[in-house]
Amino acid sequence: MAIDRERHRLLVAFRNPPGLGVLAPADGKSIATVDTCGDVDDLFVDAGRKRVYVSCGQGYVDVLEANGMAYHRISRIPTVAGARTSLFVPEMDRLIVAARESFAERRSGYSGRYLEETDSREFGMASAAIA
C-alpha cells in the first residue's frame, strides 16, 4: 500500500489478479483499477514526477503516471525474475531493486539489469536513476 497525498488516494497492490486498486481514503470506495505486472511486492509514489513504481517478482518494474485522478502505465522495465523487493529513495532520486545473484551471473560477472549503469555489485542490488 501507498498513499498518494497530492491526489488524496490510497493505492493498494493486488497479486491475484495482478493490479493496482485506487481507493478514496475517507470511505474506502474504489475509484479505479490498473493492470500491473505479477507478484507485486512493493509500490512507491514519486510525488515529484507524479509517478508510481510497482516492483514485481515476475521480473518487471511497472511505472505508472498520474494524470488528474487516473493512473496509467507508461513503462514496464525488465529486471530479474524474483526481484520483487525494492526501495525508493527520493533524496537520491533512485529506485533500488534487490536481485539475487545466480550462479550463471557470478561466472559471467553479470550482476543484474540496470536502468542506468549505476550498480552496487557488492550488495547484489541494482540502483536505477528514474529519469
Side-chain angles (χ1 to χ4, degrees):
M1 287 193 284
I3 296 175
D4 185 339
R5 294 182 194 282
E6 185 176 318
R7 283 162 200 74
H8 306 288
R9 298 292 180 243
L10 175 64
L11 307 176
V12 181
F14 297 97
R15 287 189 175 187
N16 192 14
L20 181 75
V22 181
L23 309 172
D27 58 10
K29 184 177 179 179
S30 178
I31 296 170
T33 59
V34 180
D35 291 336
T36 64
C37 44
D39 195 17
V40 175
D41 190 53
D42 292 316
L43 66 110
F44 301 94
V45 175
D46 180 347
R49 287 193 173 87
K50 299 180 183 177
R51 293 183 179 170
V52 176
Y53 308 117
V54 182
S55 62
C56 303
Q58 186 181 23
Y60 300 98
V61 171
D62 275 350
V63 180
L64 309 175
E65 186 172 66
N67 186 357
M69 292 298 169
Y71 299 84
H72 64 280
R73 185 174 64 221
I74 59 169
S75 184
R76 176 167 280 177
I77 302 164
T79 58
V80 177
R84 65 182 58 81
T85 302
S86 62
L87 175 66
F88 176 57
V89 184
E91 299 80 14
M92 295 175 60
D93 202 31
R94 295 286 184 268
L95 176 66
I96 301 165
V97 178
R100 181 177 298 141
E101 184 179 50
S102 73
F103 178 72
E105 290 169 341
R106 274 183 264 141
R107 287 184 53 191
S108 71
Y110 176 78
S111 116
R113 181 173 177 87
Y114 307 100
L115 303 182
E116 281 193 357
E117 290 302 320
T118 307
D119 66 83
S120 300
R121 291 174 193 238
E122 63 272 21
F123 300 112
M125 300 173 76
S127 174
I130 310 165

